[in-house]
Amino acid sequence: MTMKQWSFRILLAIIMTAISSQAWAQADEVEIFQVEKDTIVARTRYDKRLDRYQRFWNALIPRNFKFQMYGGMGLVNIGVGWRYGKNHQWETDLLFGLIPKYESHSTKVTMTLKENFTPWKVHLKGNLYFQPLSTGLYFNTVFSDQFWTHEPSRYPRGYYGFSTRVRTHVFVGERLKLYIPESKRHNFRSISVFYEISSCDLYIVSAATNSYLKPKDYLVLSLGLICEIF
């Protein structure tokens, strides 16, 4: 075998070795890329699940504290609220209140579930806004054995058409809202004062069936304060 033939074989072997090495390198790169790709996909799915998990629990955190007086739900009421919907137009409140014993045997505790709708607000000056319409409904119950859900047997059937334990109220009112500047915020983002005029199911039926009743007999005024956390 001549030197030229040996040189050709050596060059061919080098070329084949280089091609094989490149092929193995590409295969390894494809495998590594596939592993990295799978890892990225898995991490993305995990992140999405984590985001849903965090959004769910974050949604349960109250957005504000509310203090309300009167309104057919107790002399004083305090509770928490949540905001949602477009521009936070919808609110849900959970309030607990007290009814002094007056001429009864003891003070009573009430619970109120309230749904609010505030469709818009008007800028007045600086950080001050006016919400010309706040409306909605709420359900109020009293924790006491003196009130019942189903009519007791001691009354003729159909004597009372309403439960004395749960009252359904509708209301309409207005709010004045002040946003606290970021540099001065410590506990709250904004503070709102409001009033509401409400009536319950029993009062509305009584007003509709008794023409002698005046608005003061079936309409109730309430005042309140909302401290928005975030």
Side-chain angles (χ1 to χ4, degrees):
M1 185 177 295
T2 62
M3 182 63 68
K4 185 176 181 180
Q5 290 175 330
W6 275 108
S7 300
F8 177 77
R9 288 194 174 189
I10 292 172
L11 180 61
L12 182 61
I14 293 173
I15 294 174
M16 293 299 295
T17 301
I19 293 175
S20 299
S21 300
Q22 182 66 23
W24 281 107
Q26 291 179 349
D28 290 340
E29 183 179 353
V30 170
E31 184 177 357
I32 293 172
F33 175 77
Q34 186 66 32
V35 171
E36 291 180 350
K37 183 179 179 181
D38 293 341
T39 302
I40 293 173
V41 171
R43 185 166 58 249
T44 301
R45 291 174 180 171
Y46 167 78
D47 289 340
K48 289 181 179 180
R49 287 195 298 268
L50 182 60
D51 289 341
R52 288 195 298 268
Y53 177 83
Q54 291 176 333
R55 284 198 303 269
F56 172 79
W57 288 107
N58 286 339
L60 299 181
I61 301 175
R63 265 48 177 178
N64 58 62
F65 291 107
K66 177 173 284 189
F67 175 80
Q68 188 164 350
M69 299 180 62
Y70 316 121
M73 61 177 72
L75 177 61
V76 292
N77 300 268
I78 189 169
V80 295
W82 296 263
R83 304 189 319 277
Y84 47 90
K86 184 179 180 181
N87 298 323
H88 294 158
Q89 294 175 326
W90 293 94
E91 300 172 0
T92 299
D93 299 320
L94 180 62
L95 303 166
F96 291 91
L98 292 176
I99 302 177
K101 64 179 183 179
Y102 296 122
E103 297 179 358
S104 62
H105 297 291
S106 61
T107 300
K108 299 175 181 61
V109 177
T110 69
M111 182 179 72
T112 302
L113 182 63
K114 186 179 181 184
E115 188 69 16
N116 310 268
F117 178 61
T118 53
W120 68 84
K121 59 184 177 182
V122 179
H123 182 225
L124 296 180
K125 182 180 180 181
N127 296 321
L128 188 62
Y129 289 81
F130 174 58
Q131 294 176 292
L133 176 63
S134 174
T135 186
L137 57 85
Y138 54 92
F139 303 95
N140 174 259
T141 185
V142 182
F143 297 104
S144 173
D145 294 336
Q146 300 177 18
F147 300 87
W148 37 263
T149 303
H150 301 287
E151 193 173 69
S153 58
R154 65 177 180 270
Y155 297 109
R157 187 171 183 178
Y159 185 80
Y160 283 102
F162 294 90
S163 163
T164 61
R165 186 179 296 276
V166 180
R167 292 265 71 83
T168 302
H169 302 251
V170 293
F171 70 89
V172 62
E174 295 176 325
R175 298 181 182 181
L176 196 61
K177 187 171 188 176
L178 176 65
Y179 285 96
I180 301 174
E182 293 187 8
S183 60
K184 297 182 179 180
R185 290 178 188 173
H186 296 288
N187 298 313
F188 304 114
R189 178 172 178 261
S190 70
I191 296 177
S192 303
V193 293
F194 68 89
Y195 80 88
E196 293 173 356
I197 297 175
S198 65
S199 186
C200 69
D201 46 10
L202 183 59
Y203 288 175
I204 293 173
V205 171
S206 297
T209 56
N210 299 278
S211 58
Y212 61 86
L213 293 177
K214 305 298 181 182
K216 66 178 182 179
D217 297 322
Y218 52 84
L219 296 179
V220 180
L221 174 67
S222 64
L223 305 172
L225 176 71
I226 304 172
C227 297
E228 184 180 81
I229 304 172
F230 64 95

